[in-house]
Amino acid sequence: GSTGITYTTQVGFYTRIGNLITVSINLVLSSKGSSTGVAAISGLPSAASATNVIYILNGYLLGMTSFPTSTTIPMGLILASSSTIDIYGYLGPTAGTITQFADTNFAAASTIRFNGFYRV
């Protein structure tokens, strides 16, 4: 959700060449607000292709709370026909699971960065 979220940095860029979009997102929160639920970034320039594909973006997260483990690798997933990046973490080789982040994983000054591409 977006209730009460404020940012010290809110920047995003994209380039579209044919049916391929490359995105770069940099967000730094100054307040995570009061919304609850799963973490996602909406408003991509176009919806992903309707084919049954999941696009994975490289992620970087800093200043998190209740971060699942020290070996968590952040990633953004864009599902088919979606214009939203769902924020997940791969919980490393020991646990071997993928978990979607929620409001409880973020702090007031969390940094969220994603880079990657998807097909439209």
Side-chain angles (χ1 to χ4, degrees), residues 5 12 37-38 54-55 59-60 67 75-76 81 92-93 97 100 104 107 109 113:
I5 293 176
V38 297
I54 297 174
Y55 297 93
Y60 168 84
F67 206 71
M75 61 184 156
S81 302
T97 59
Q100 188 168 14
T104 56
R113 293 184 182 135

Side-chain angles (χ1 to χ4, degrees), residues 11-87:
V11 178
F13 300 96
Y14 77 93
T15 302
R16 181 174 179 161
I17 299 173
N19 61 355
L20 188 68
I21 293 182
T22 302
V23 295
S24 181
I25 297 166
N26 181 18
L27 304 171
V28 180
L29 304 179
S30 54
S31 170
K32 71 175 194 167
S34 60
S35 293
T36 59
V38 297
I41 300 169
S42 61
L44 292 175
S46 296
S49 169
T51 59
N52 192 16
V53 175
I54 297 174
Y55 297 93
I56 300 175
L57 284 69
N58 296 321
Y60 168 84
L61 302 171
L62 180 67
M64 307 293 286
T65 60
S66 65
F67 206 71
T69 72
S70 61
T71 60
T72 299
I73 300 167
M75 61 184 156
L77 301 181
I78 304 172
L79 302 177
S81 302
S82 176
S83 59
T84 298
I85 300 170
D86 296 321
I87 302 174

